[in-house]
Amino acid sequence: MPLVQAVTRPDPYVPFLISQAIEANGLVFVSGQVAIGDDGRIIAPGDFDRQADQAFRNLDRALKAAGSGLHRIVKTTIFLRSIETAGRLVALRRQWLSAPYPAESMVEVPSLSSPEALIEIEAIALTGDQ
């Protein structure tokens, strides 16, 4: 089965030769989504809540471009600059995700793709309405 690349507009990952998402065999693999705004810059430096909200918005957009959605996520990996912000993700999960909640790994990292980024979310989801 061929790989299908999801395309978003704008797509800030094009210069880096990275796909926002790839669909293969009924699964969507979404690249790590950070708080990039439509202008290609990280929004709200230093504001974890606003960055996390934008990262979820970008995740939603990439999933929709791949023919899926947040309700189809089976696994997320969340990278945090500070594990101290992990507790605030519970409220965000309620806002963006619904039961059954996806399996998840959370990792604290010293840096992300931009020094201003505080969170990055990658996901694996099912395609369509399977």
Side-chain angles (χ1 to χ4, degrees), residues 6 28 62-69 72 126-129:
V28 177
L63 285 165
K64 286 177 179 172
S68 187
R72 307 292 292 154
L126 301 173
T127 58
D129 291 322

Side-chain angles (χ1 to χ4, degrees), residues 18-31:
I18 299 172
S19 297
Q20 286 280 326
I22 293 285
E23 188 271 319
N25 295 325
L27 294 174
V28 177
F29 299 86
V30 182
S31 293

Side-chain angles (χ1 to χ4, degrees), residues 10 12-13 16 20 32-56 58 61 79 81 111-121:
Y13 290 22
F16 305 104
Q20 286 280 326
Q33 300 294 308
V34 295
I36 295 175
D38 287 345
D39 64 357
R41 296 179 184 201
I42 298 291
I43 69 150
D47 187 331
F48 176 81
D49 290 346
R50 285 187 56 207
Q51 283 200 16
D53 186 68
Q54 184 66 44
F56 273 103
N58 293 344
R61 181 174 62 183
F79 302 94
R81 290 283 307 280
S111 64
L112 294 166
S113 59
S114 166
E116 297 174 321
L118 301 175
I119 182 172
E120 181 171 326
I121 306 169

